[in-house]
């Protein structure tokens, strides 16, 4: 299939959504690679929050860059088309323009919410949020001689970004004369550069930390009290603060959910636009041509946002190149005569690669070759380049020779995990059954139920489906599809009186050669035992 | 694109160096990747998959994947067993390398492993952690002195072993440099009361990683049985001003808790206790993960100090009970020290060679032009963060040498 | 005790901890506690009187000076310094304990320690047991004689007293000549076997210094001076104190 390399022309302009530091930095990096960039900000300016003067510098550079067009007060109202040719409607006020982009970078920001409910507290002049305290300190409004208490880590698990804000405030606060500071905290979250030293500095200044598992009880009135059972003293301690500072959660941008739909990308369960899956590190989304910088993908620091910008530029370049995209041999294609436009494929495609126009169409620039659609299509209307059904059937047939080294075990191996684990087992001399025949699939989601049944029909004594671990599938749900299909097949085996343990569906990582050996030897053992 | 390909020198073949090399090669830059050990992959290639029924995002699999990509990338030339002796900069970088003798001829070796089978117990032949290491085996010169040389040379059916191989010198010219020399794991003998190096069932977190990778499960070093009761002590060598290590290593809570849960997953009857001062949030779904941990594992906010030997390779840990404040003794089958990340032991030399600075803790800081840092050489980092910084270093290097689309 | 609520008031900067920080290099790092508990895990006095070093330090940090003063635990500490050795922040808890002892009026300090210090002050032997010069000399010579006879391999062993110009001046815990005289012998044997040139002194021979444990600086100093003078008077080079 596709013996000749197929080249398609794609657009090379890049849209960067989000005028925060990561967005401005990404625009600069992408423009630096020679692409034209449109940078949109929903605000009336870009990157306004100051951080060591570095931001102002970035913004000035972006404004001066001839390859960057900055559109403020602008949102991406709609996105259509496919990777390499996204048709985006940009709205500035009531005015809308349509532009074509080859790639899109999302660099939305973070939002905060104060967690006073966790403590049953009403906000007021003596009960302030972390943000309000920061403003007070910046404006020099904290009076001398006060006792200030921080509540952090009971409304949320917390993270270094949250803790850094508290520590920075403590540094400023201990400079105000005769201030006593107490921090009521679950765990001090310091897993970021420089935070342990900052924590030590605040302790040196006399800040006292109560680390406790129970949420502090706070009574508000003329005299406020905070009461906790101190695990160090094993006694109840009461502090009477003049000011209580309530923690804030740092959360994904509220715009993310609305953006994910037209961009056809998967968000994680916290509203960030990158699933929690190592294959997307650092800046990939589930869809080709769409990349994520900074806080759009995770809770990240300013510095990490800048790093992302560099990585985004690399990914954009890898995808867009000079505008001539070489279509990989292993993409799915639809037999138009068989397609009934049921759109199962559209629904199950994890990569936003399928659209329709009287028939389902697979965008060659977007297909990542997992084959889930091909295996799910109820009418077998989709074939996957290097792994077409006839080739797979032939592969099973070719393995019948293994039957000589009975038992014959057909192992359908995801090439990212199971296949690598098998190679490792062999390289390290771990035992692998002599009659084991490995058949490579691009993703466990490409293991058709038909292939498995066919293997049994051809005389296989056992079949293995070796998938990635859930949450590690490069195509998100391929491993899940495989495990669901395995359950169905087991029912069918039971119906025809075949022992269901002849089918093994297991998840592995590429570095689990030992486990590959154990699983396959165990199957061989159970087949032999049943046969004897 | 420029006519003649630019060339980058990447120092260090761990996950950061591999990633930087790979990304540079994707931009049509020729890469010389230099690694001092006989294998690519650095520390992280020995790490295990920590998945239970689902992936826990440790990233160990990413290292194998990146290693496989790098060794099959024609633009990347790898030199193993090489140390940088000198660097000249006059517009370009010229690095002089001292390359250790190649006792195993990579062209002839087919990774059959016979040398390893025969000599593994002597330490004369060592095996890499990844099948993507080529060769997968190396001769350890020191240990090889104590074995019958003729027998060792003769064990290879392909005649790939040449014990007379000589050290060589090599010069590399490059337009830019990425330094990814990694970290030195904390030496747990510096906390002598834990008995590391004295008691066989006191191991480091890194050793547990390698153990799981090799055995497929958690077993005690002494009897290879799954431990019924395991203790993890966190922050060993981290957050310690006495040792001059006043930083959180940013990886130990993650690997400690992930492996602790893996023990429970494999054997729900097993008991695991984690001794800690603060549990660090690592990864996207940490709150949910930690909730599960709290259901399955015991947590004690108290760092034990004394480890006493008991029968059958067990150890008695002494600590102050949180609830009563009294001294408590508890017996464990396996003790895991969650050791931290410390600056590379040759950082001062690396800084000197490549005109880098060192921060107050001893990690490297960029200074000179054209030299970029990636990974734990620059400070504690996990695998994903090392990869992200390596990508960034590659992008900075590309800008420096003027490679664009 | 456990149910009593501790109500914190404005710190004000004149607590025991503040004062101790002023006199110690780096303030003894007393503010730097991570509450990791290593000190408590390693302390032989953990759990006595519902106290441990971590709790003690926390009480000091919270200005609970009165409770500290009244805690018998401050007299349980043996000043072994293990807490500092295992502390990642090198916090000088023993100095805090020592200074906490000073906050107790001398006459209210534990009778055993007080009486031992006072007894030592009564003579130049510095013996907390009150053993005088003659008795000490008699016991040493008697025990030496016994061992020389019973163990021929040590027939030449010496236990010199007031030997001028000896290289080592050896101290001896007072308890041993009185209650466990045999306990003195192992060290003699070692010194004999290595050929050390050593001596006891009839003055300043007692090794212990209860005045230090009593936190009586003047008395502590006096005891040390008496012993040092004894060493100097015999012209010894090295003072071996086994306490």
């Amino acid at each position: 299939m596709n013996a000749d390399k197929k080249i398609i022309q794609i657009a090379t302009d890049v849209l960067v959504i989000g005028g925060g530091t990561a967005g401005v930095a990404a625009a600069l990096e992408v423009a630096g690679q020679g692409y034209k960039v449109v940078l949109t900000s929903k605000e009336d300016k870009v990157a306004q929050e100051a951080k060591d003067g570095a931001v102002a510098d970035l913004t000035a550079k972006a404004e001066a860059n001839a390859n960057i067009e900055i559109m403020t007060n602008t949102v991406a109202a709609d996105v259509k088309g496919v990777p390499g040719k996204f048709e985006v409607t940009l709205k500035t006020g009531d005015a809308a323009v349509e532009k074509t982009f080859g790639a899109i970078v999302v660099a939305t920001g973070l939002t905060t919410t104060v967690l006073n409910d966790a403590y049953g507290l009403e906000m007021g002049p003596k009960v302030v949020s972390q943000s309000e305290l920061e403003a007070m300190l910046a404006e020099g409004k904290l009076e001398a001689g006060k006792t200030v208490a921080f509540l952090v880590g009971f409304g949320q698990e917390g993270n270094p970004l949250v803790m850094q804000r508290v520590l920075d405030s403590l540094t400023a606060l201990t400079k105000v004369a005769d201030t006593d500071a107490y921090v009521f905290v679950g765990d001090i979250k310091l897993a970021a550069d420089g935070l342990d030293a900052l924590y030590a500095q605040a302790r040196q200044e006399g800040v006292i930390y109560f680390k406790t598992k129970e949420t502090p009880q706070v009574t508000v009135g003329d005299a406020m009290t905070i009461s906790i059972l101190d695990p160090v003293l094993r006694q109840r301690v009461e502090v009477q603060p003049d000011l209580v500072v309530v923690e804030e959660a740092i959360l994904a941008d509220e715009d993310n959910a609305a953006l994910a739909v037209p961009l056809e990308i998967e968000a994680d369960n916290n509203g960030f636009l990158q699933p929690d899956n190592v294959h997307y590190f650092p800046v990939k989304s589930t869809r080709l041509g769409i990349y994520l910088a900074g806080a759009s993908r995770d809770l990240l620091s300013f510095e990490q946002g800048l790093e992302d910008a560099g990585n985004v530029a690399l990914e954009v370049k890898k995808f867009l190149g000079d505008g001539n995209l070489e279509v990989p041999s292993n993409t799915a294609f639809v037999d138009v005569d068989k397609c009934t436009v049921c759109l199962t494929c559209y629904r199950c495609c994890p990569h936003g690669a399928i659209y329709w126009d009287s028939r389902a169409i697979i965008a060659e620039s977007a297909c990542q070759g997992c084959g889930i659609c091909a295996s799910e299509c109820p009418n077998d209307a989709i074939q996957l380049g290097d792994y077409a059904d006839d080739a797979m059937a032939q592969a099973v047939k070719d393995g019948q020779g293994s039957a000589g080294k009975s038992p014959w075990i057909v192992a359908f191996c995801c090439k990212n995990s199971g296949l690598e684990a098998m190679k490792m087992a062999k390289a390290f001399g771990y035992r692998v059954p002599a009659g084991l025949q490995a058949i490579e699939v691009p993703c466990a989601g490409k293991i058709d139920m038909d292939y498995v049944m066919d293997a049994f029909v051809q005389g296989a004594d056992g079949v293995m489906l070796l998938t990635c671990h859930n949450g590690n599938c490069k195509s998100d749900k391929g491993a899940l599809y495989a495990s669901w299909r395995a359950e169905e097949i087991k029912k069918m085996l039971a119906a025809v009186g075949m022992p269901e343990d002849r089918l093994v569906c297991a998840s592995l990582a590429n570095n689990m050669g030992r486990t590959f050996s154990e699983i396959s030897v165990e199957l061989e053992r159970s087949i032999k035992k049943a046969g004897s | 694109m420029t006519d003649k390909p630019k060339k980058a020198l990447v120092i260090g073949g761990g996950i950061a160096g591999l990633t930087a090399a790979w990304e540079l090669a994707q931009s049509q830059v020729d890469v010389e990747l230099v690694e001092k050990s006989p294998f690519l992959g650095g520390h992280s290639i020995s790490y295990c998959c920590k998945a239970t029924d689902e992936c826990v995002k440790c990233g160990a699999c990413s290292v194998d994947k990146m290693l496989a990509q790098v060794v099959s990338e024609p633009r990347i030339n790898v030199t193993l067993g090489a140390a940088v002796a000198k660097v000249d900069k006059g517009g370009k970088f010229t690095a002089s390398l001292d390359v250790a003798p190649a006792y195993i001829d990579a062209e002839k070796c087919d990774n059959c492993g016979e040398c390893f089978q025969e000599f593994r117990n002597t330490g004369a032949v060592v095996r890499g952690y990844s099948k993507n290491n080529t060769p997968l085996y190396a001769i350890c010169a020191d240990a090889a002195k104590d074995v019958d040389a003729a027998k060792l040379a003769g064990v290879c059916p392909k005649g790939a072993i040449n014990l007379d191989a000589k050290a060589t010198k090599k010069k590399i010219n490059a337009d830019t440099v990425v330094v990814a020399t990694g970290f030195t794991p904390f030496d747990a003998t510096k906390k002598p009361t834990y008995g590391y190096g004295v008691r066989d069932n006191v191991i480091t977190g890194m050793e547990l990683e390698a153990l799981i990778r090799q055995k497929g499960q958690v077993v005690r070093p002494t009897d290879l049985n799954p431990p019924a009761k395991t203790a993890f002590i966190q922050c060993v060598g981290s957050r310690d001003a006495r040792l001059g290590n006043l930083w959180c290593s940013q990886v130990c809570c993650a690997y400690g808790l992930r492996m602790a849960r893996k023990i429970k997953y494999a054997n729900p009857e097993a008991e695991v206790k984690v001794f800690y001062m603060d549990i660090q949030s690592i990864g996207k779904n940490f709150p949910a993960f930690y909730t599960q941990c709290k259901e399955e594992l015991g947590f004690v906010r108290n760092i034990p100090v004394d480890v006493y030997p008991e029968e059958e390779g067990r150890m008695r840990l002494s600590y102050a009970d949180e609830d009563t404040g009294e001294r408590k003794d508890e017996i464990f089958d396996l003790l895991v020290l969650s050791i931290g990340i410390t600056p590379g032991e040759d950082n001062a030399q690396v800084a000197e060679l490549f005109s880098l600075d060192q921060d107050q803790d001893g990690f490297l800081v960029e200074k000179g032009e054209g030299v970029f840092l990636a990974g734990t050489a620059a400070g504690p980092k996990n695998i994903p963060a090392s990869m992200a910084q390596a990508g960034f270093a590659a992008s900075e290097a590309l800008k420096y040498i003027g490679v664009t689309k | 005790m456990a149910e009593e609520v501790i109500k914190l008031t404005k710190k004000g900067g004149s607590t025991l901890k503040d004062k101790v920080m002023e006199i110690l290099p780096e303030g003894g790092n007393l503010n730097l506690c991570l509450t990791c508990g290593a000190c408590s895990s390693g302390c032989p006095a953990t759990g006595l009187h519902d106290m441990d070093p971590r709790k003690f330090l926390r009480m000091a940090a919270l200005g609970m000076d009165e409770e500290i003063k009244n805690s018998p635990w401050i007299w349980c500490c043996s000043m072994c310094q293990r807490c500092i050795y295992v502390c990642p922040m090198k916090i000088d808890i023993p100095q805090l304990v020592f200074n906490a002892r000073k906050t107790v009026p001398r006459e209210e300090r534990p009778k055993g320690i007080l009486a031992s210090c006072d007894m030592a002050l009564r003579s130049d032997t510095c013996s907390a047991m009150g053993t005088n010069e003659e008795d000490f000399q008699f016991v040493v010579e008697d025990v030496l004689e016994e061992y020389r006879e019973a163990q021929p391999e040590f027939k030449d062993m010496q236990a010199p007293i007031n030997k001028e110009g000896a290289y080592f001046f050896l101290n001896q815990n007072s308890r041993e000549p009185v209650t466990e005289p045999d306990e003195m012998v192992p060290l003699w044997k070692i010194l004999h076997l290595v050929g050390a040139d050593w001596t006891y002194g009839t003055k300043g021979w007692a090794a212990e210094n209860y005045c230090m444990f009593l936190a009586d600086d003047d008395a502590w100093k006096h005891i040390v001076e008496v012993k040092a003078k004894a060493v100097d008077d015999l012209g010894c080079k090295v003072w071996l104190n086994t306490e």
Side-chain angles (χ1 to χ4, degrees):
Chain A
M1 225 93 24
N2 298 334
D4 300 319
K5 283 183 179 171
K6 186 177 172 189
I7 305 285
I8 55 174
Q9 306 292 313
I10 56 172
T12 60
D13 285 5
V14 179
L15 171 65
V16 177
I17 300 171
T21 52
V24 176
L28 275 168
E29 295 286 349
V30 173
Q33 289 297 322
Y35 299 101
K36 284 202 177 315
V37 177
V38 173
L39 171 63
T40 65
S41 169
K42 63 178 179 176
E43 314 284 341
D44 57 5
K45 49 188 167 183
V46 295
Q48 56 272 57
E49 70 266 40
K51 172 105 185 180
D52 306 333
V55 174
D57 188 36
L58 276 181
T59 304
K61 276 190 198 163
E63 282 166 352
N65 191 311
N67 278 337
I68 300 177
E69 179 189 350
I70 299 177
M71 296 176 73
T72 52
N73 295 312
T74 299
V75 294
D78 197 18
V79 181
K80 290 199 161 57
V82 297
K85 201 181 177 194
F86 291 113
E87 310 286 353
V88 183
T89 308
L90 295 172
K91 268 195 175 164
T92 311
D94 292 334
V97 287
E98 271 213 10
K99 286 180 183 273
T100 303
F101 297 101
I104 298 174
V105 178
V106 186
T108 46
L110 293 166
T111 180
T112 59
T113 183
V114 60
L115 300 174
N116 51 316
D117 285 349
Y119 304 89
L121 283 172
E122 299 262 346
M123 305 305 287
K126 291 167 148 189
V127 180
V128 299
S129 67
Q130 175 64 35
S131 296
E132 287 166 332
L133 176 75
E134 285 162 7
M136 283 172 77
L137 289 165
E139 293 161 16
K141 283 189 179 162
L142 184 72
E143 292 167 30
K146 299 294 182 195
T147 298
V148 183
F150 289 76
L151 303 171
V152 58
F154 302 98
Q156 61 183 334
E157 179 56 37
N159 54 65
L161 291 190
V162 168
M163 193 51 64
Q164 169 124 31
R165 294 180 74 192
V166 173
L167 292 170
D168 284 343
S169 291
L170 287 165
T171 306
L173 189 132
T174 49
K175 295 197 175 84
V176 178
D178 197 23
T179 301
D180 283 359
Y182 296 95
V183 181
F184 296 89
V185 59
D187 285 299
I188 312 258
K189 303 290 184 181
L190 297 161
D193 293 347
L195 288 200
D196 224 339
L198 206 53
Y199 174 45
Q201 188 189 323
R203 295 200 308 283
Q204 186 63 59
E205 294 303 324
V207 176
I208 289 179
Y209 294 80
F210 290 102
K211 296 181 195 171
T212 157
K213 286 171 188 160
E214 61 167 296
T215 303
Q217 298 163 17
V218 190
T219 324
V220 191
D222 290 338
M224 294 190 288
T225 61
I226 298 178
S227 167
I228 51 121
L229 180 69
D230 178 20
V232 174
L233 293 176
R234 298 180 291 281
Q235 268 176 293
R236 193 152 281 283
V237 176
E238 267 183 27
V239 175
Q240 298 201 321
D242 303 303
L243 188 67
V244 173
V245 184
V246 182
E247 64 180 311
E248 286 177 347
I250 304 178
L251 304 169
D253 199 312
E254 291 143 358
D255 295 344
N256 286 358
L259 272 171
V261 177
L263 290 173
E264 296 187 47
I265 56 177
E266 287 285 324
D268 70 9
N269 39 21
N270 299 314
F272 292 101
L273 293 173
Q274 187 178 53
D276 192 12
N277 183 318
V278 296
H279 295 288
Y280 300 116
F281 287 145
V283 296
K284 288 181 198 148
S285 73
T286 47
R287 203 173 185 202
L288 284 173
I290 298 177
Y291 305 99
L292 308 162
S296 63
R297 69 177 181 95
D298 200 357
L299 270 180
L300 296 178
S301 67
F302 169 81
E303 291 78 9
Q304 288 169 308
L306 296 186
E307 273 186 12
D308 276 7
N311 281 289
V312 157
L314 295 177
E315 293 299 333
V316 165
K317 189 164 71 165
K318 275 187 261 182
F319 181 64
L320 296 182
D322 59 359
N324 292 302
L325 180 80
E326 186 186 317
V327 177
S329 61
N330 187 41
T331 51
F333 67 97
V334 180
D335 182 339
V336 291
D337 295 331
K338 284 187 179 173
C339 177
T340 60
V341 210
C342 72
L343 301 184
T344 301
C345 56
Y346 170 75
R347 286 188 295 272
C348 70
C349 175
H351 302 301
I354 302 181
Y355 60 104
W356 68 91
D357 182 6
S358 78
R359 290 289 182 272
I361 300 166
I362 292 166
E364 292 170 313
S365 61
C367 178
Q368 299 188 29
C370 65
I372 293 175
C373 59
S375 289
E376 285 296 301
C377 176
N379 216 25
D380 285 343
I382 305 179
Q383 294 294 327
L384 183 66
D386 301 337
Y387 304 89
D389 290 341
D390 49 1
M392 297 299 288
Q394 190 58 48
V396 173
K397 221 172 237 146
D398 292 346
Q400 267 176 320
S402 307
K405 299 167 189 158
S406 141
W408 178 27
I409 296 172
V410 179
F412 292 100
C413 299
C414 167
K415 71 171 179 183
N416 301 304
S417 51
L419 193 72
E420 292 292 300
M422 182 200 71
K423 288 181 187 167
M424 177 179 172
K426 289 187 171 171
F428 280 65
Y430 304 150
R431 204 162 90 70
V432 173
L436 184 137
Q437 178 204 0
I439 297 181
E440 174 186 314
V441 287
C443 167
K446 182 66 193 83
I447 308 171
D448 274 30
M449 286 170 65
D450 292 350
Y451 303 166
V452 178
M453 296 314 288
D454 181 47
F456 280 121
V457 169
Q458 300 288 336
D461 300 296
V463 176
M464 298 204 295
L465 275 55
L466 296 173
T467 78
C468 298
H469 291 295
N470 278 332
N472 190 280
C473 174
K474 173 173 176 301
S475 294
D476 196 27
K477 293 195 176 61
L480 269 180
Y481 277 109
S483 64
W484 292 335
R485 289 177 203 146
E487 288 309 308
E488 287 303 309
I489 297 165
K490 283 191 175 181
K491 283 182 206 160
M492 292 191 230
L493 293 181
V496 298
M498 189 133 172
E500 32 178 286
D501 61 3
R502 295 300 178 92
L503 178 70
V504 171
C505 180
S507 60
L508 289 173
N510 58 7
N511 54 21
M512 290 173 70
R514 177 68 76 179
T515 310
F516 180 96
S517 165
E518 284 166 2
I519 293 172
S520 57
V521 168
E522 173 59 26
L523 176 59
E524 181 190 46
R525 195 193 59 80
S526 88
I527 293 168
K528 280 184 174 167
K529 195 177 162 201
S532 62
Chain B
M1 200 189 297
T2 46
D3 296 330
K4 189 166 173 277
K6 296 274 187 177
K7 197 182 233 184
L9 171 62
V10 177
I11 309 293
I15 183 58
L18 292 171
T19 307
W22 168 251
E23 292 294 353
L24 287 162
Q26 299 318 291
S27 281
Q28 285 72 53
V29 173
D30 288 340
V31 180
E32 289 283 350
L33 176 58
V34 174
E35 163 59 37
K36 71 175 170 184
S37 85
F39 305 110
L40 286 177
H43 293 302
S44 59
I45 197 62
S46 67
Y47 299 168
C48 65
C49 174
K50 299 167 200 73
T52 51
D53 56 339
E54 58 180 13
C55 172
V56 294
K57 334 294 177 191
C58 72
C61 58
S62 307
V63 186
D64 271 90
K65 183 178 158 189
M66 187 57 79
L67 180 42
Q69 286 176 348
V70 164
V71 296
S72 56
E73 168 57 59
R75 283 187 187 276
I76 302 173
N77 182 48
V78 178
T79 308
L80 295 170
V84 181
K86 194 167 152 241
V87 181
D88 293 316
K89 198 192 168 194
K92 280 190 168 196
F93 296 88
T94 304
S96 307
L97 307 184
D98 291 334
V99 186
Y103 297 116
I104 298 181
D105 184 336
E107 301 295 315
K108 291 183 185 164
C109 171
D110 67 352
N111 286 346
C112 71
E114 291 208 15
C115 55
F116 183 68
Q117 289 306 330
E118 197 65 31
F119 286 93
R120 66 191 302 175
N121 296 330
T122 65
V125 180
V126 291
R127 181 165 67 184
Y129 282 93
S130 172
K131 67 174 166 51
N132 301 309
N133 286 132
T134 44
L136 179 52
Y137 305 92
I139 307 277
C140 174
D142 282 346
K145 284 179 195 144
D146 301 331
V147 303
D148 180 342
K151 200 175 157 211
L152 176 54
V155 73
C156 178
K158 302 281 174 189
I161 296 177
N162 172 15
L163 296 174
D164 299 325
K166 294 282 175 283
T168 54
K169 293 199 182 292
K170 186 173 174 178
K171 265 196 169 39
I172 290 174
N173 294 312
D175 302 287
T176 184
V177 181
V178 175
V179 172
T181 44
F183 68 99
T184 296
F186 175 70
D187 173 5
T189 62
K190 289 182 182 164
K191 288 278 200 183
T193 61
Y194 291 143
Y196 176 76
V198 178
R199 308 195 200 300
D200 292 337
N201 290 327
V202 179
I203 62 173
T204 66
M206 280 179 67
E207 287 166 335
L208 183 61
E209 295 258 17
L211 199 64
I212 298 176
R213 189 178 170 111
Q214 288 164 339
K215 306 287 177 199
Q217 60 173 332
V218 176
V219 291
R220 293 209 310 175
T222 49
D223 54 14
L224 300 181
N225 285 327
K229 211 167 157 181
T230 304
F232 284 77
I233 299 179
Q234 298 303 114
C235 295
V236 177
S238 306
R239 305 187 63 186
D240 193 321
R242 166 178 299 282
L243 297 162
N245 299 354
L246 192 56
W247 58 81
C248 166
S249 289
Q250 307 182 28
V251 295
C252 331
C253 282
Y255 76 63
L257 295 184
R258 284 164 178 163
M259 291 196 287
R261 278 202 67 216
K262 196 173 172 82
I263 294 175
K264 281 294 277 189
Y265 180 73
N267 177 13
E269 302 297 311
E271 201 181 323
V272 185
K273 268 201 175 147
V274 180
F275 295 89
Y276 75 103
M277 51 177 140
D278 293 294
I279 294 293
Q280 300 304 322
S281 300
I282 288 142
K284 278 196 157 194
N285 284 316
F286 185 79
F289 173 77
Y290 190 26
T291 302
Q292 283 173 311
C293 288
K294 283 190 264 196
E295 283 169 17
E296 296 169 8
L297 316 171
F299 282 90
V300 181
R301 193 174 226 146
N302 197 300
I303 301 292
V305 166
D306 294 306
V307 177
Y308 305 100
E310 291 284 331
E311 286 179 359
E312 294 174 352
R314 295 195 179 88
M315 288 134 309
R316 180 162 50 89
L317 253 65
S318 185
Y319 62 97
D321 183 75
E322 275 190 300
D323 296 327
T324 65
E326 286 174 9
R327 222 180 148 81
K328 190 169 173 178
D329 283 352
E330 198 167 348
I331 293 173
F332 293 91
D333 300 298
L334 179 68
L335 172 58
V336 183
L337 305 177
S338 292
I339 56 165
I341 287 176
T342 69
E345 55 200 357
D346 43 13
N347 271 8
Q349 195 189 339
V350 175
E352 175 80 33
L353 281 169
F354 294 101
S355 304
L356 295 158
D357 277 336
Q358 281 181 278
D359 68 14
Q360 56 177 17
D361 299 326
F363 294 103
L364 298 172
V365 178
E366 285 174 9
K367 181 175 78 175
E369 287 210 340
V371 182
F372 304 94
L373 283 170
T376 50
K381 256 171 224 73
N382 60 17
I383 292 169
S386 292
M387 294 175 77
Q389 198 192 18
F392 180 63
S395 76
E396 292 291 289
L398 292 173
K399 272 197 284 189
Y400 176 76
I401 58 180
V403 171
T404 61
K405 71 164 175 167
Chain C
M1 173 87 175
E3 282 314 298
E4 208 175 298
V5 176
I6 298 154
K7 297 190 177 179
L8 302 182
T9 51
K10 201 83 185 67
K11 283 186 253 170
S14 61
T15 62
L16 167 69
K17 187 210 70 179
D18 296 318
K19 289 176 202 155
V20 176
M21 284 183 75
E22 276 172 28
I23 58 172
L24 293 182
E26 310 287 320
N29 299 318
L30 296 184
N31 271 353
L32 289 178
C33 180
L34 291 159
T35 62
C36 75
C39 53
S40 301
S41 292
C43 174
T46 283
L48 302 177
H49 303 287
D50 190 30
M51 186 73 91
D52 58 88
R54 172 165 74 171
K55 178 175 175 180
F56 170 75
L57 181 65
R58 168 57 55 104
M59 287 169 75
L62 298 180
M64 297 167 67
D65 294 357
E66 206 49 36
E67 290 86 342
I68 286 175
K69 187 173 132 188
N70 294 329
S71 170
W73 188 82
I74 58 174
W75 301 102
C76 297
C77 168
S78 68
M79 307 273 162
C80 73
Q81 312 226 358
R82 193 129 200 275
C83 51
I84 311 182
Y85 174 71
V86 300
C87 175
M89 303 307 296
K90 290 187 279 189
I91 299 175
D92 197 344
I93 297 175
Q95 277 288 356
L96 193 59
V97 173
F98 181 80
N99 282 279
R101 290 179 183 183
K102 285 201 211 174
T103 65
V104 180
R106 194 176 193 278
E107 62 280 10
E108 291 173 23
R109 297 179 195 174
K111 287 197 171 50
I113 303 174
L114 181 64
S116 295
C117 172
D118 285 346
M119 181 62 82
L121 291 170
R122 283 167 61 175
S123 80
D124 285 352
T125 64
C126 300
S127 166
M129 305 284 287
T131 313
N132 63 29
E133 296 178 23
E134 295 74 26
D135 288 351
F136 175 61
Q137 186 158 3
F138 172 77
V139 172
V140 169
E141 286 168 355
D142 190 45
V143 172
L144 179 67
E145 195 54 37
E146 190 184 316
Y147 272 83
R148 280 176 162 188
E149 283 172 18
Q151 299 180 359
E153 67 272 33
F154 288 104
K155 65 179 167 46
D156 300 327
M157 185 164 70
Q158 300 289 322
I161 295 182
N162 294 336
K163 178 183 170 191
E164 293 204 9
Y167 189 77
F168 294 109
F169 182 98
L170 180 67
N171 274 151
Q172 177 65 56
N173 184 292
S174 286
R175 189 170 295 274
E176 284 151 10
V178 179
T179 60
E180 304 280 353
D182 294 335
E183 294 285 301
M184 298 190 289
V185 180
L187 185 52
W188 297 352
K189 289 182 173 175
I190 293 170
L191 293 168
H192 171 70
L193 289 173
V194 300
D197 174 21
W198 70 280
T199 184
Y200 281 132
T202 46
K203 292 194 190 307
W205 60 264
E208 72 281 357
N209 188 341
Y210 279 89
C211 299
M212 180 192 81
F213 292 107
L214 189 68
D216 179 341
D217 284 353
D218 292 340
W220 175 13
K221 188 178 170 211
H222 170 79
I223 297 287
V224 173
E225 282 170 351
V226 170
K227 292 183 197 174
K229 182 171 183 298
V231 178
D232 288 342
D233 286 350
L234 288 178
C236 298
K237 292 277 184 299
V238 177
W239 177 9
L240 286 182
N241 190 307
T242 54
E243 288 294 288

